[in-house]
Amino acid sequence: MSYKIFAWISVALLFYNFSLFPLRRILKRFERARSFLKIGSRIHRFSGFALLVTGAIHGYLALGRIQLHTGTLLWLGVVLLSIYYLLRRPLKKHWLVLHRFTDFIVIAWFFVHFFFPWLI
């Protein structure tokens, strides 16, 4: 039962992190929204780390071991997003393109994991 709690925390963190990109595009025209976006960007790093932790705990509690699963691939996608962030200096401007592209893949893979968890 506790794995479900970590699952929903992970879902909330995943969609919070993803939502910053489209929200920035939509709200950049509004002066009052800029402070919200600035705070959201600062929290993004910490919520990304929390997503890594809660996703790993969820997977381990749900399966009882580490094994190949749609959730494992989803979690590895989040790890890849974190690696892009850590390599942002050597990758220069390309890291953000990779980060955003991979983000869309992670969101798509989330839906695969949510609706067809035993696909693999």
Side-chain angles (χ1 to χ4, degrees):
M1 184 64 168
S2 62
Y3 74 92
K4 289 183 181 182
I5 294 168
F6 284 102
W8 287 110
I9 292 170
S10 297
V11 168
L13 289 169
L14 179 69
F15 281 95
Y16 167 75
N17 284 337
F18 177 76
S19 70
L20 290 176
F21 175 60
L23 278 177
R24 190 174 294 115
R25 298 270 188 215
I26 294 167
L27 297 176
K28 71 179 176 183
R29 296 180 191 100
F30 303 102
E31 187 69 35
R32 293 183 183 211
R34 289 184 185 165
S35 62
F36 169 75
L37 292 173
K38 187 180 265 191
I39 293 168
S41 294
R42 288 181 186 154
I43 296 172
H44 182 72
R45 288 180 214 127
F46 301 109
S47 60
F49 178 74
L51 176 59
L52 281 172
V53 173
T54 59
I57 293 171
H58 160 68
Y60 188 75
L61 289 176
L63 299 175
R65 61 188 171 149
I66 297 172
Q67 70 181 44
L68 185 61
H69 185 267
T70 57
T72 309
L73 297 177
L74 175 60
W75 187 78
L76 289 173
V78 175
V79 169
L80 188 60
L81 289 168
S82 300
I83 290 170
Y84 289 150
Y85 172 73
L86 294 173
L87 295 175
R88 69 190 181 283
R89 294 204 199 294
L91 291 174
K92 299 186 182 179
K93 295 179 184 179
H94 301 291
W95 85 271
L96 196 55
V97 174
L98 291 168
H99 189 78
R100 288 178 178 162
F101 177 75
T102 306
D103 203 16
F104 283 102
I105 293 171
V106 166
I107 291 295
W109 197 252
F110 162 77
F111 286 109
V112 170
H113 175 60
F114 188 79
F115 291 110
F116 309 104
W118 299 105
L119 188 65
I120 295 178

